[in-house]
């Protein structure tokens, strides 16, 4: 499983496929105060981003994917992409 629960965070690890979206949804809903840690994640399917955007949990960790860092994380944090880092 690429989505797991730890006492201090919901962890995304490796490549996270669409089949993990329901698991992520359930974990965020039952643990709304826990952050979602993406430090160990590879590619994160858009289905998981939809869950993250809808529920807006705190995101911790940094991924090596430039697209995620530049476009998706700013949406989660502020609702708008970072267009200044061109």
């Amino acid at each position: 499983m690429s989505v797991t629960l730890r006492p201090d965070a919901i962890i995304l690890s490796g490549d996270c496929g669409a089949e993990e979206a329901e698991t992520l949804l359930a974990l965020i809903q039952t643990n709304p105060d826990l952050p979602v840690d993406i430090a160990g994640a590879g590619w994160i399917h858009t289905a998981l981003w939809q869950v993250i955007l809808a529920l807006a949990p705190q995101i911790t960790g940094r991924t090596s994917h430039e697209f995620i860092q530049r476009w998706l994380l700013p949406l989660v944090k502020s609702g708008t992409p970072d267009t200044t880092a061109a």
Side-chain angles (χ1 to χ4, degrees):
M1 294 219 89
S2 59
V3 179
T4 55
L5 178 63
R6 293 203 181 145
D8 60 341
I10 299 166
I11 308 295
L12 302 186
S13 59
D15 289 336
C16 304
E19 67 278 359
E20 299 287 352
E22 286 187 55
T23 301
L24 180 61
L25 174 65
L27 288 176
I28 294 172
Q29 287 178 327
T30 57
N31 303 280
D33 295 331
L34 288 182
V36 175
D37 184 346
I38 64 168
W43 186 248
I44 302 169
H45 192 278
T46 55
L48 281 78
W49 284 112
Q50 290 174 2
V51 170
I52 291 169
L53 285 167
L55 300 180
Q58 177 188 0
I59 302 294
T60 61
R62 182 171 174 88
T63 178
S64 61
H65 287 279
E66 183 180 337
F67 180 84
I68 291 172
Q69 285 298 135
R70 181 172 178 192
W71 296 102
L72 296 178
L73 288 181
L75 285 173
V76 172
K77 293 179 180 178
S78 69
T80 58
D82 178 9
T83 57
T84 62

